[in-house]
Amino acid sequence: MVVQWRQVLCLLPLIPIVVLVIFEDRVSIPSCAVVPALGQQYVEDDHPDDLKVMMVANLLLLGSEAGYTNILFRDYYLSRFFAKSFEILKPDMLLILGDVSARGSKLTRSKWPSVLQQFRRLLGPFLGLPFHVILGDRDIGDCSDLNVVSVNWIASNLPGLDSAGCGVFEIGNISFVSLNAMALLCGHNSLRFSVEKVIERESIDLRMDGEQQTEVLDGSSGFRLKSGDLGWRENVISSGSGPVLLLHFPLHCTENCNFWGTSADCGTSKHSCSSSTVPECRGSVGAGPYDLLHTLSPNATEYIFQALKPRMIFSAHSHKFCDRTHLDGTREVTVPAMSWDARNDPAFVVATFKRNGRIAIVRHCSLAKESNVLIAYLSLLLVFSSTILLTKSSHVISSGS
């Protein structure tokens, strides 16, 4: 009987280790909930031809400047989050909506490769899938730091970006356009003109497609003369007919914006997604205070709507999940930060574009809170220490007897 009791005591220290292995596997599982659009009823009818896209933002990697806490803890769990999300959700593509680096605009070219290497290590299984990265203000700097040569060099090291930091691609029957929102935010600069050229080019392609479709339907042109004004032609391309738009900064939100679904995450009022208020400030990450106030200007927002007629918009930057409709009915989803450097409860978005190309199912996926993981580690450490002490005490008692 004494021998059996000793065997049990010897096995006690293994219990916390087993619990830790199970915990690390379970805590990496994302918790996803569908956020239906206004007037949309979700029906579970997944089809092999649907396009499932995982969207993340604000990874805030430090590369060679990362400390042990980031390397051994935060990066470790971030890589597990990516791996487990890939295993469970089985996405077809990954989109990163800016701020891959915490201080990329301050890095020299010799230090940027360490950030890119860290980024690729974290992606793990996603490296085998198509993925696209857009540029954030942390990557290329604010208006005072914006440099054409630096942007061109950084963009050349990321897939699918042109020299201005924009990208146009199509998967299945879904077209995507990503824009360098920082350049649009910074007034008159050569990068802004390059971004506007991309917008104009895509606008022309959209109008040409509209003309062809209209000619097929009724034999007319895609533009109609406005009565009483023979010098102006009205574009009959409807809202929502264009590509899926990807930005780092959210578009400007007027007071008439509508919020739905889990709109409480946008803040306490609908104004919290506008440029007039700051819903939450992270303080400092990497280098100095970080302003979450930015949205694109009303003029830039209107220009994008008129030129691209986006069917849906995905933005980032604010670190919070936000779901809203603009005046023309276009839905914009702001993707939250997927980094413990940005917030205690990271998250991401999965968008499933149905095979008809018109409907997108949005899922908001939450990840483990850093505070909860730390508490769990501390609890396991205390249990492990207690079992070691208990085992040693039992050996002393048994030896004395």
Side-chain angles (χ1 to χ4, degrees), residues 112-355:
W112 250 104
S114 66
V115 174
L116 298 175
Q117 290 170 6
Q118 182 185 11
F119 171 61
R120 293 187 175 95
R121 285 198 305 269
L122 292 175
L123 291 188
F126 280 97
L127 286 175
L129 292 182
F131 69 92
H132 184 75
V133 183
I134 67 175
L135 301 176
D137 55 315
R138 283 284 183 176
D139 301 314
I140 59 177
D142 56 24
C143 295
S144 61
D145 298 326
L146 206 57
N147 181 281
V148 175
V149 176
S150 296
V151 171
N152 189 354
W153 184 85
I154 295 171
S156 67
N157 285 276
L158 296 172
L161 294 181
D162 64 13
S163 59
C166 300
V168 179
F169 57 95
E170 183 172 333
I171 295 186
N173 62 341
I174 309 297
S175 297
F176 295 85
V177 172
S178 68
L179 299 177
N180 183 345
M182 193 71 236
L184 290 175
L185 190 69
C186 291
H188 296 286
N189 60 79
S190 57
L191 277 174
R192 180 188 178 96
F193 298 145
S194 297
V195 175
E196 289 177 348
K197 287 180 180 179
V198 173
I199 296 175
E200 292 298 326
R201 184 179 67 242
E202 293 306 308
S203 179
I204 292 172
D205 290 344
L206 177 63
R207 291 173 184 175
M208 291 179 64
D209 290 342
E211 286 181 7
Q212 294 173 357
Q213 292 175 5
T214 305
E215 289 173 357
V216 170
L217 290 174
D218 57 18
S220 65
S221 170
F223 295 87
R224 294 174 184 169
L225 295 178
K226 185 179 179 182
S227 59
D229 185 2
L230 299 180
W232 185 81
R233 293 186 299 176
E234 182 180 3
N235 188 349
V236 297
I237 302 299
S238 61
S239 297
S241 300
V244 176
L245 181 62
L246 308 174
L247 300 161
H248 179 66
F249 293 111
L251 295 179
H252 176 76
C253 181
T254 66
E255 294 184 1
N256 295 320
C257 281
N258 296 313
F259 296 85
W260 69 93
T262 56
S263 59
D265 290 335
C266 297
T268 56
S269 71
K270 63 176 60 181
H271 300 289
S272 62
C273 278
S274 72
S275 59
S276 59
T277 56
V278 183
E280 179 184 342
C281 186
R282 159 177 98 212
S284 61
V285 172
Y290 191 59
D291 188 5
L292 302 179
L293 175 122
H294 298 127
T295 66
L296 291 186
S297 68
N299 287 341
T301 299
E302 182 64 22
Y303 171 51
I304 287 172
F305 276 125
Q306 290 298 324
L308 296 180
K309 305 289 185 180
R311 68 179 57 186
M312 195 168 183
I313 302 157
F314 292 92
S315 57
H317 183 68
S318 68
H319 297 168
K320 283 190 170 186
F321 177 84
C322 188
D323 199 356
R324 55 180 174 158
T325 50
H326 290 272
L327 291 179
D328 67 346
T330 304
R331 185 181 188 184
E332 179 176 358
V333 173
T334 302
V335 178
M338 190 182 172
S339 172
W340 280 335
D341 277 321
R343 53 186 297 159
N344 183 43
D345 52 342
F348 61 91
V349 165
V350 174
T352 303
F353 298 93
K354 308 305 289 182
R355 59 189 183 277

